[in-house]
């Protein structure tokens, strides 16, 4: 198995035992990535990465046992970085250099992770297929003619290909979970406010949340340990006591119940919302999800039917609220304060108009138009305010299920990865509809994961399917422990994309 796919602990042990050095890992990764056949990476700078690797190696040599030290990572290109340009996948920010690092970047840097560069993403994180990047489309390592999902598609593709151990992503309406699902890796969107948004290029501020993407729940938990925490610089950051997100691994998830090795999920109540299994869910996805639920039952969990009655409304509510916030956030890119500036303007208005026309791509423009419309005088109450009311009702639906269930489970995406020449290029609405199962947890601010749970087999193609697990607010530790327990019973998360095993394997 490729070195990078063995997980953080194995890699960290290999570093500690001097079987490999942090700088060798960087060299290996650069060789693996090569000319980036998956379109997963936007900026790389060998010297900057090696410098971080040397610093990490020095700490390792001095006996520093930090769990992430020397482990390679890619950052989604919406996190601002001093050492690499930040574009958010847009021409608008081409060549932009931030004078500071995003808080997530700073924290992972301090933990000793070695940044290999910036991961490709949909422009301003708008999309579900990573085909809206202004620079290049990203591809799925399980089948390079398919999308990797979006908007954190570059992050997911690079991890799935084994180019890098872990990556950061951001999830506004599903962008950590959905690409994780489509690429067969593990991803977590934490509770809104858990991770600082400082230095994350804003899309929809009341929804945006960073999250770890890696090979397993264990890796995600270790990353979350470093990423989470209060940050004064972000007014929406939550001041919570520090926690170890691995603390329930191998322990009972039900308070006051003894851990049972043979039935690790004994006593857990898992809700299966009927709306997540209704029309629209492709049979190739439904089948692995059903077997995953059987696995959970075999592990002692009780799967109960439940209902999230406003699931269908999450699409119109989200696609009003997110564009509204985006239109406001993106107003700053006017060619003067920020972003691309048009050449030889006739006057000020011409400068604004052409800078924005040239800098933004079609999907971003579409959302700015929708956002400006729903916020405009006379329509505000009918659309924006109404969507906020629906958002509240959606959150209440989740809360009432959590009165009798510990977790909610279902699919992440109604289909597996679709062909690149497919719907995302032709029909924006079809792309929006594919977000049906992820938007609810985003609107409600809940933590949710995607965990590999099988494949849809098409001809000889194996396309990954992800199980979504949604938890009550602040229950990341239990959520990760449940995902970890599932991964102790199954090996879906260990399967490797063909590009990796055939051509690019590096044995440890
Ligand atoms: N697909 C959704 C959108 O385009 C979610 C994107 C995201 O989570 N960043 O808005």
């Amino acid at each position: 198995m490729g070195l990078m796919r063995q997980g953080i602990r194995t890699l960290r042990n290999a570093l500690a035992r001097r079987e490999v050095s942090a700088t060798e890992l960087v060299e290996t990764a650069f060789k693996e990535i090569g000319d980036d056949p998956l379109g997963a990476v936007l900026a790389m700078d060998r010297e900057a990465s090696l410098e971080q690797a040397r610093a990490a190696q020095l700490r390792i040599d001095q006996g520093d046992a930090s769990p992430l030290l020397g482990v390679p990572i890619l950052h989604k290109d919406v996190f601002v970085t001093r050492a690499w340009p930040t574009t958010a996948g847009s021409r608008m920010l081409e060549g932009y250099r931030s004078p500071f690092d995003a808080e997530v970047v700073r924290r992972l840097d301090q933990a000793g992770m070695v940044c290999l560069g910036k991961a490709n993403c949909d422009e301003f994180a708008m999309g579900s297929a990573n085909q809206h990047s202004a620079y290049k489309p990203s591809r799925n390592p399980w089948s390079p003619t398919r999308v990797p999902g979006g908007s954190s598609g570059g992050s997911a593709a690079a991890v799935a290909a084994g180019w890098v151990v872990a990556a950061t992503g951001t999830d506004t309406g599903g962008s950590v979970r959905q690409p994780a699902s489509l690429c067969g890796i593990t991803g977590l969107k934490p509770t809104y406010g858990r991770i600082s948004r400082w230095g994350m290029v804003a899309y929809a501020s009341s929804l945006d949340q960073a999250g770890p993407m890696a090979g397993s729940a264990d890796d995600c938990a270790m990353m979350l340990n470093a990423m989470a925490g209060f940050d004064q610089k972000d007014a929406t950051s939550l001041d919570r006591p520090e926690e170890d997100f691995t603390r329930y691994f191998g322990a009972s998830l039900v308070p006051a119940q003894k851990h049972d090795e043979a039935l690790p999920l004994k006593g857990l109540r898992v809700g299966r919302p009927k709306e997540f299994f209704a029309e629209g869910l492709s049979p190739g996805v439904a089948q692995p999800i059903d077997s995953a639920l059987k696995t959970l039952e075999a592990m002692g969990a009780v799967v109960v039917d439940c209902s999230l009655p406003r699931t269908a409304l999450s699409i119109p509510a989200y696609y009003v609220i997110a564009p509204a916030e985006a239109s406001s956030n993106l107003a700053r890119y006017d060619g003067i304060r920020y972003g691309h500036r048009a050449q030889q303007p006739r006057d000020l208005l011409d400068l604004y108009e052409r800078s924005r026309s040239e800098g933004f791509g079609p999907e971003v423009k579409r959302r700015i138009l929708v956002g400006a419309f729903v916020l405009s005088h006379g329509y505000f109450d009918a659309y924006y305010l109404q969507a906020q009311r629906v958002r509240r009702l959606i959150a209440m639906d989740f809360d009432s299920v959590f009165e009798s269930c510990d977790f909610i489970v279902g699919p992440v995406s109604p289909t597996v990865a679709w062909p690149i020449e497919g719907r995302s290029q032709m029909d924006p609405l079809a792309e929006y509809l594919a977000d049906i199962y992820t938007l609810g947890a985003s609107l409600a601010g809940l933590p949710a994961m995607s965990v590999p749970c099988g494949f849809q087999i098409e001809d000889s193609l194996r396309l990954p399917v992800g199980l979504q697990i949604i938890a009550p607010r602040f229950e990341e530790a239990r959520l990760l422990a449940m995902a970890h327990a599932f991964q102790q019973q199954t090996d879906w998360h260990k399967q490797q994309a063909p590009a990796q095993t055939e051509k690019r394997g590096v044995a440890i």
Side-chain angles (χ1 to χ4, degrees):
M1 196 198 265
L3 190 56
M4 304 286 186
R5 286 290 273 151
Q6 304 205 10
I8 292 177
R9 285 182 206 271
T10 307
L11 197 62
R12 184 64 186 84
N13 285 337
L15 283 161
R17 289 197 301 263
R18 307 292 192 277
E19 289 166 14
V20 68
S21 73
T23 48
E24 277 164 9
L25 283 179
V26 170
E27 296 293 4
T28 305
F30 271 79
K31 213 180 298 154
E32 291 281 294
I33 296 170
D35 59 358
D36 187 18
L38 297 172
V41 187
L42 287 180
M44 299 218 295
D45 177 339
R46 176 183 242 103
E47 209 23 65
S49 298
L50 283 172
E51 197 181 308
Q52 292 199 350
R54 282 191 288 266
Q57 190 60 45
L58 202 67
R59 284 172 63 183
I60 294 171
D61 291 341
Q62 288 163 350
D64 185 334
S66 307
L68 301 175
L69 194 53
V71 177
I73 188 171
L74 276 173
H75 288 303
K76 183 178 183 179
D77 204 25
V78 299
F79 292 95
V80 300
T81 41
R82 277 177 304 171
W84 291 266
T86 302
T87 67
S90 181
R91 291 276 167 220
M92 189 49 107
L93 283 171
E94 191 163 10
Y96 171 69
R97 280 277 175 161
S98 168
F100 66 96
D101 284 330
E103 179 64 10
V104 162
V105 172
R106 192 193 67 76
R107 281 171 175 267
L108 292 172
D109 187 38
Q110 208 165 45
M113 289 197 102
V114 176
C115 178
L116 293 181
K118 305 299 283 290
N120 197 3
C121 58
D122 282 305
E123 186 172 1
F124 289 103
M126 297 175 188
S128 308
N130 216 135
Q131 308 305 299
H132 300 310
S133 162
Y135 298 95
K136 51 188 173 185
S138 194
R139 299 173 177 279
N140 192 314
W142 291 92
S143 165
T145 60
R146 305 244 167 181
V147 304
S151 63
S152 315
S155 302
V159 172
W163 290 352
V164 66
V165 184
T168 50
T170 62
D171 192 312
T172 303
S175 282
V176 162
R177 290 161 283 161
Q178 188 257 19
S181 174
L182 270 42
C183 287
I185 65 162
T186 307
L188 164 70
K189 179 200 93 76
T191 309
Y192 180 79
R194 184 65 103 165
I195 296 179
S196 169
R197 292 185 300 112
W198 173 257
M200 242 168 74
V201 175
Y203 161 17
S205 309
S206 77
L207 295 153
D208 296 344
Q209 185 60 204
M213 304 173 79
S216 67
D218 186 30
D219 287 359
C220 286
M222 284 195 282
M223 286 173 72
L224 187 62
N225 278 345
M227 293 166 80
F230 176 61
D231 179 9
Q232 259 180 333
K233 304 187 292 307
D234 172 5
T236 58
S237 163
L238 293 165
D239 197 355
R240 308 263 313 167
E242 216 175 283
E243 22 179 325
D244 173 6
F245 292 101
T246 64
R247 70 184 183 282
Y248 293 124
F249 285 20
S252 168
L253 293 179
V254 181
Q257 186 174 291
K258 259 190 70 201
H259 183 56
D260 183 339
E261 286 275 308
L263 294 172
L265 301 183
K266 194 170 144 194
L268 270 194
R269 290 175 63 84
V270 174
R272 178 189 184 277
K274 64 171 193 279
E275 293 78 6
F276 281 28
F277 294 82
E279 200 194 337
L281 178 63
S282 83
V285 173
Q287 193 270 321
I289 298 289
D290 286 340
S291 0
L293 298 191
K294 292 211 176 72
T295 305
L296 296 178
E297 284 177 330
M299 293 166 70
V302 183
V303 176
V304 293
D305 289 329
C306 66
S307 173
L308 293 168
R310 292 166 185 101
T311 297
L313 290 179
S314 62
I315 295 177
Y318 174 89
Y319 279 101
V320 166
I321 294 167
E325 293 183 16
S327 77
S328 165
N329 276 324
L330 270 50
R332 73 189 70 171
Y333 303 102
D334 57 8
I336 294 179
R337 290 174 298 170
Y338 287 96
H340 167 78
R341 181 174 297 176
Q343 294 300 302
Q344 287 156 357
R346 267 181 290 116
D347 51 30
L348 186 61
L349 199 60
D350 185 48
L351 173 68
Y352 286 151
E353 276 180 8
R354 280 203 292 117
S355 296
R356 287 170 69 82
S357 303
E358 293 164 10
F360 290 134
E363 184 59 28
V364 174
K365 285 179 185 155
R366 194 151 35 231
R367 302 215 188 176
I368 292 174
L369 287 174
V370 170
F373 175 76
V374 298
L375 290 176
S376 58
H377 185 73
Y379 293 102
F380 182 87
D381 287 7
Y383 293 103
Y384 184 72
L385 208 60
Q386 189 69 0
Q388 290 289 16
R389 289 193 186 109
V390 172
R391 179 181 192 174
R392 170 54 62 94
L393 293 174
I394 289 170
M396 284 163 57
D397 285 349
F398 278 97
D399 291 344
S400 74
V401 172
F402 284 133
E403 278 171 21
S404 56
C405 292
D406 300 286
F407 298 104
I408 293 172
V409 293
V412 173
S413 162
T415 65
V416 291
W418 56 89
I420 285 180
E421 308 300 330
R423 63 182 174 212
S424 50
Q425 279 175 336
M426 305 160 49
D427 182 358
L429 272 186
E431 196 178 349
Y432 301 167
L433 290 176
D435 295 336
I436 177 104
Y437 307 132
T438 51
L439 297 178
S442 296
L443 289 164
L446 301 168
M449 285 187 77
S450 176
V451 180
C453 73
F455 292 90
Q456 175 180 314
I457 316 242
E458 252 180 61
D459 302 324
S460 59
L461 216 57
R462 295 200 310 158
L463 296 166
V465 172
L467 174 74
Q468 183 172 208
I469 315 176
I470 306 172
R473 281 173 207 93
F474 309 118
E475 289 286 4
E476 285 88 348
R478 281 201 176 78
L479 171 59
L480 284 156
M482 153 127 174
H484 178 68
F486 181 76
Q487 293 184 336
Q488 300 288 100
Q489 293 292 318
T490 59
D491 64 0
W492 303 114
H493 63 295
K494 291 189 181 150
Q495 310 280 319
Q496 275 198 278
Q500 169 66 12
T501 35
E502 279 162 23
K503 304 197 289 283
R504 299 172 177 276
V506 183
I508 197 164

